[in-house]
Amino acid sequence: MPDTSEPTSDYSARFVIETHPVHGRLVRLGDTIDQILKSHDYPPVIANLLGEACVLATLVGASLKFEGRLILQAQGSGAVRYVVADYDTKGGLRGFCRYDPEELDALIQENEGSFQSLGAETLLGKGTFIMTLDPEDHADRYQGITPIEGESLSLCAEHYFAQSEQVPTHIKLAVTELTGINGRSWRAAGAMIQAIAGDETRGETKESFQHIRALFETLGEEELTDFDVTADRLLYRLFHEDGVRLSALKQVHKQCRCSQERVEGLVQSFTPEEQNEMLEPDGKVHITCEYCSKTFFVGL
């Protein structure tokens, strides 16, 4: 039997509905998303958007059948220029968001009093949702692009799967900030179900997916981010009448690819004249990683 115990709050896990041709994945991020979001002083609406992106990248990336990376990016003409999350199949996750603070403040004031929180379409405006598959063996990258549609990145992803993969998919994402004895901390979680294509044995799978989706719809954001409810218990609540089997949990951790060596190589790629223009008063080039906010110093 797979080990489905939860030694960490940061994991992804595949599950299968035993009596229907439907499978899915559950992701929960505690320390990992808290570290990613606290690397920057993001306003809550930006932290929520990046949290969604990180969970979604993990949901999709952990499903890859090859070793490599899944890069999820949404970019548009709104106050948020783009949000990106990068997951590798060894469980490493990173992400960041670029936005215009003045435009964001104006947008928040404009929507003050609204019952609906600011989501993807409002923050990003007209733009594109992009998923890039980058195999580790240097095979060609694959990139799928769809328009940004809806106030959750989950809707963008569902549209992507419907167009690019022709796979019925339903996704739920949740991001919250909690207050505890050690102060405030972020949590994020998500779940995804997908239909398994019909064949001569299975027949038509549409009704099965609709049945499981109806149960899946009852899953609340509070349940997703309540880590006291274990993965197996959460799935049992939803699908116990149809049978559900949970695979071993795979740990997720914050991991940035920046390094002194990479930064030095980047600086060396510029001409001597360009390098001199980059010098700070201390005689060194200062480069800050957009993902983790770590600053590197390169002497010339």
Side-chain angles (χ1 to χ4, degrees):
M1 293 289 291
D3 179 10
T4 57
S5 60
E6 300 192 26
T8 172
S9 62
D10 300 86
Y11 62 83
S12 70
R14 183 176 184 268
F15 60 87
V16 175
I17 308 302
E18 295 181 327
T19 57
H20 291 278
V22 178
H23 65 124
R25 187 164 292 274
L26 174 70
V27 166
R28 280 174 160 172
L29 303 175
D31 291 342
T32 297
I33 198 63
D34 194 52
Q35 293 170 26
I36 289 172
L37 296 182
K38 285 182 177 176
S39 295
H40 307 267
D41 187 20
Y42 287 130
V45 291
I46 299 297
N48 187 82
L49 182 66
L50 179 55
E52 281 193 358
C54 287
V55 173
L56 186 54
T58 307
L59 279 171
V60 180
S63 305
L64 297 179
K65 300 298 190 293
F66 59 82
E67 294 298 314
R69 299 161 58 200
L70 182 287
I71 304 159
L72 182 150
Q73 182 173 334
Q75 58 190 42
S77 58
V80 175
R81 301 301 189 253
Y82 60 85
V83 58
V84 59
D86 181 332
Y87 174 88
D88 71 58
T89 49
K90 296 180 178 65
L93 178 66
R94 62 178 183 168
F96 78 95
C97 191
R98 180 172 290 177
Y99 64 98
D100 185 295
E102 292 183 0
E103 289 185 26
L104 180 65
D105 288 343
L107 187 63
I108 292 173
Q109 291 179 20
E110 181 183 327
N111 288 271
E112 190 173 1
S114 173
F115 292 104
Q116 186 173 2
S117 59
L118 300 182
E121 197 168 37
T122 300
L123 292 169
L124 288 153
K126 293 186 179 297
T128 53
F129 175 83
I130 306 166
M131 284 205 281
T132 303
L133 309 183
D134 186 13
E136 195 174 80
D137 60 5
H138 305 294
D140 291 340
R141 280 185 167 195
Y142 170 79
Q143 191 171 80
I145 303 174
T146 58
I148 293 173
E149 295 184 352
E151 288 301 329
S152 171
L153 291 178
S154 61
L155 295 174
C156 297
E158 289 175 10
H159 185 64
Y160 166 87
F161 280 110
Q163 279 200 339
S164 301
E165 309 289 337
Q166 287 81 52
V167 178
T169 303
H170 193 44
I171 299 169
K172 282 182 174 272
L173 304 173
V175 181
T176 189
E177 190 178 18
L178 304 177
T179 301
I181 57 174
N182 296 319
R184 301 189 68 80
S185 61
W186 288 96
R187 281 185 180 179
M192 173 174 70
I193 55 171
Q194 291 185 310
I196 299 173
D199 54 26
E200 291 184 1
T201 301
R202 297 189 188 96
E204 175 59 52
T205 63
K206 184 178 180 180
E207 288 188 7
S208 284
F209 186 73
Q210 289 176 339
H211 168 71
I212 296 302
R213 177 169 178 164
L215 298 175
F216 188 73
E217 284 286 1
T218 67
L219 177 61
E221 293 186 5
E222 297 81 4
E223 289 179 289
L224 272 172
T225 54
D226 183 357
F227 293 177
D228 289 334
V229 179
T230 61
D232 54 355
R233 182 62 183 168
L234 180 67
L235 294 172
Y236 179 80
R237 284 181 179 178
L238 292 171
F239 307 121
H240 63 278
E241 291 185 355
D242 297 282
V244 59
R245 178 163 40 88
L246 180 68
S247 299
L249 307 186
K250 180 176 181 178
Q251 292 191 358
V252 181
H253 58 276
K254 177 181 180 256
Q255 179 177 324
C256 195
R257 295 181 179 82
C258 65
S259 68
Q260 185 70 32
E261 182 180 7
R262 288 193 177 199
V263 170
E264 289 176 356
L266 173 64
V267 172
Q268 292 302 317
S269 69
F270 291 94
T271 66
E273 292 77 13
E274 291 171 327
Q275 292 178 24
N276 286 329
E277 292 178 0
M278 297 163 65
L279 286 175
E280 299 290 341
D282 63 358
K284 296 181 179 180
V285 176
H286 299 185
I287 294 183
T288 300
C289 175
E290 289 190 287
Y291 283 97
C292 68
S293 296
K294 182 178 180 179
T295 299
F296 296 86
F297 304 92
V298 181
L300 301 178

